[in-house]
């Protein structure tokens, strides 16, 4: 009997989200739609540009959003991450706890330093651009792993952003090995084009000789494969995982299993903020898979929660919103 439906490892980041104009984004020198790693000095400089703007603060981090989505739907999740002994670290730990996610943070004493944070800049076209200060999560290592809990999970999930951190990558790969030794399925999200362009070897290490599940949006898939030809992309990605979820925004998603591909239509919505859409999709899809749904049905539910999260500001929905979507979906 599996103890957890999902065990994930990723960067613990507290998101602070601002609504900005394209002109301000350009003035800040931020790469649109992508994630950029920043240091303390760059962070201070960027903060001067958004002084006085309304800010929303939430728990974040890609895999963190994914485990929270799964837990809000009623699944059991464990999250390995690292925070510092500061106010943001306490906020992050409490947020996981409030959402019913088990974590190594309740077993380990946080060290001095600064907890990782992410400035999320949302432009009027709903695109999100991210400036990430890793802080304590840059020291995430294998000590954050709970091998006995990986062994008792259905799926082990890795965040592609860890490819940028030598110790984080090593931890993710060690966890993957433990999962394989205990017949636990493996999953990876490619996370961002910047990871593919600058940290591809790390992503390849996480893929190893193949995964059970791979998540990528269309831009990431095109960058990974070096082509915009959909058939060629599907051919390349299907060699990496037994099930590939290729998300395409308003065009829905394609679920690929070997030679079989299933197009799952999007739920029509007016997007105001795409932050968290991919994380939400992955968490909901994996909830469906670990609760007996076929991939096409799990993807249809995931399209619903992703549509809901992009139709509002912020990277997450409430548990009540998630459960309402699930209840309505079960009637269809």
């Amino acid at each position: 009997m599996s103890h957890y439906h999902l065990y994930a490892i990723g960067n613990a980041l507290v998101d602070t989200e601002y609504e900005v104009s394209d002109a301000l984004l350009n003035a800040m020198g931020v790469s649109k739609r992508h994630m950029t790693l920043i240091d303390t000095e760059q962070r201070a400089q960027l903060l001067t540009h958004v002084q006085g703007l309304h800010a929303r603060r939430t728990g974040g981090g890609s895999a963190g959003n994914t485990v929270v989505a799964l837990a809000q739907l009623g699944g059991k999740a464990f999250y390995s991450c690292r925070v510092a002994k500061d106010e943001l670290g306490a906020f992050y730990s409490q947020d996981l706890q409030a959402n019913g996610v088990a974590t190594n943070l309740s077993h380990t004493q946080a060290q001095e330093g600064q907890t990782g944070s992410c400035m999320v800049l949302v432009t009027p076209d709903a695109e999100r651009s991210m400036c990430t200060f890793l802080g304590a999560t840059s020291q995430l290592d294998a000590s954050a792993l709970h091998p006995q809990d990986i062994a008792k999970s259905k799926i082990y999930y890795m965040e592609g952003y860890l490819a940028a951190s030598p110790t984080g990558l090593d931890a993710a790969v060690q966890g993957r090995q433990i999962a394989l030794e205990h017949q636990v399925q493996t999953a990876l999200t490619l996370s961002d084009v910047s990871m593919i362009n600058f940290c591809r070897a790390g992503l390849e290490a996480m893929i190893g000789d193949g995964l059970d599940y791979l998540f990528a949006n269309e831009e990431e898939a095109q960058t990974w494969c070096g082509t915009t030809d959909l058939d060629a992309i599907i051919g390349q990605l299907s060699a990496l995982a037994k099930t590939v979820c290729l998300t395409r925004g308003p065009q829905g998603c394609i679920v690929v299993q070997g030679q079989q591909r299933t197009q799952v239509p999007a739920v029509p919505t007016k997007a105001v903020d795409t932050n968290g859409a991919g994380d939400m999709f992955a968490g909901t899809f994996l909830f469906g898979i670990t609760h007996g749904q076929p991939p096409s049905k799990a993807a249809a539910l995931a399209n619903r929660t992703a549509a809901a999260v992009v139709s509002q500001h912020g990277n997450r929905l409430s548990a009540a919103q998630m459960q309402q979507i699930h209840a309505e979906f079960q009637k269809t």
Side-chain angles (χ1 to χ4, degrees):
M1 182 73 182
S2 294
H3 194 60
Y4 293 106
H5 297 108
L6 185 65
Y7 184 114
I9 182 169
N11 286 317
L13 301 170
V14 175
D15 279 8
T16 307
E17 185 174 294
Y18 303 88
E19 293 173 49
V20 301
S21 65
D22 279 288
L24 180 55
L25 195 70
N26 288 334
M28 294 170 78
V30 173
S31 176
K32 186 165 180 173
R33 292 200 317 279
H34 299 150
M35 189 282 292
T36 306
L37 289 175
I38 56 172
D39 58 23
T40 310
E41 194 177 316
Q42 290 169 307
R43 183 168 174 265
Q45 179 62 38
L46 289 169
L47 285 170
T48 64
H49 288 274
V50 294
Q51 274 181 346
L53 292 182
H54 175 66
R56 292 180 200 84
R57 188 169 82 163
T58 59
S62 175
N65 293 336
T66 293
V67 291
V68 165
L70 179 131
Q72 288 177 332
L73 286 165
K76 289 185 177 178
F78 189 103
Y79 189 41
S80 280
C81 58
R82 181 168 178 145
V83 297
K85 187 181 177 182
D86 60 2
E87 192 263 332
L88 285 186
F91 173 84
Y92 196 86
S93 300
Q94 288 158 11
D95 182 65
L96 288 177
Q97 197 172 6
N99 282 291
V101 175
T103 171
N104 63 300
L105 300 179
S106 59
H107 301 70
T108 53
Q109 184 68 43
Q111 302 298 305
E112 297 298 326
Q114 283 182 283
T115 293
S117 59
C118 181
M119 290 178 66
V120 183
L121 308 167
V122 181
T123 39
D125 57 3
E127 295 289 357
R128 95 291 181 263
S129 310
M130 299 181 295
C131 299
T132 301
F133 170 70
L134 290 174
T137 193
S138 65
Q139 270 90 52
L140 175 68
D141 60 20
S143 67
L145 295 173
H146 282 209
Q148 72 280 13
D149 289 313
I150 297 174
K152 288 189 271 184
S153 299
K154 285 192 174 181
I155 297 174
Y156 172 75
Y157 180 86
M158 297 168 285
E159 177 187 305
Y161 287 120
L162 293 180
S165 160
T167 57
L169 172 61
D170 177 63
V173 172
Q174 281 193 46
R176 180 185 184 278
Q177 189 56 42
I178 295 164
L180 292 174
E181 286 168 7
H182 292 89
Q183 288 79 53
V184 174
Q185 292 186 313
T186 56
L188 169 73
T189 171
L190 291 184
S191 291
D192 194 85
V193 166
S194 61
M195 293 298 102
I196 298 166
N197 285 333
F198 303 114
C199 308
R200 187 177 179 120
L203 291 170
E204 287 172 342
M206 284 191 259
I207 292 167
D209 54 6
L211 301 157
D212 290 285
Y213 301 97
L214 177 66
F215 297 89
N217 67 30
E218 196 160 32
E219 186 185 17
E220 291 157 5
Q222 290 172 351
T223 304
W224 182 274
C225 299
T227 178
T228 57
D229 181 80
L230 191 58
D231 289 331
I233 287 169
I234 288 171
Q236 284 193 51
L237 295 184
S238 64
L240 304 179
K242 292 173 185 172
T243 301
V244 176
C245 289
L246 177 59
T247 54
R248 308 176 74 208
Q251 293 177 273
C253 71
I254 301 172
V255 180
V256 183
Q257 293 183 291
Q259 297 301 309
Q260 182 185 350
R261 65 172 84 170
T262 307
Q263 302 232 18
V264 184
V267 177
T269 191
K270 177 173 172 28
V272 297
D273 176 6
T274 55
N275 182 28
D279 309 332
M280 175 66 76
F281 181 95
T284 305
F285 179 87
L286 293 171
F287 168 81
I289 289 294
T290 55
H291 287 75
Q293 292 178 2
S296 58
K297 190 167 183 183
L301 177 59
N303 279 348
R304 288 198 182 196
T305 58
V309 83
V310 302
S311 69
Q312 58 157 46
H313 282 284
N315 56 336
R316 294 179 183 172
L317 298 174
S318 68
Q321 285 174 294
M322 292 289 278
Q323 286 159 22
Q324 184 181 352
I325 293 168
H326 187 218
E328 289 170 0
F329 179 75
Q330 287 179 305
K331 295 174 189 172
T332 59

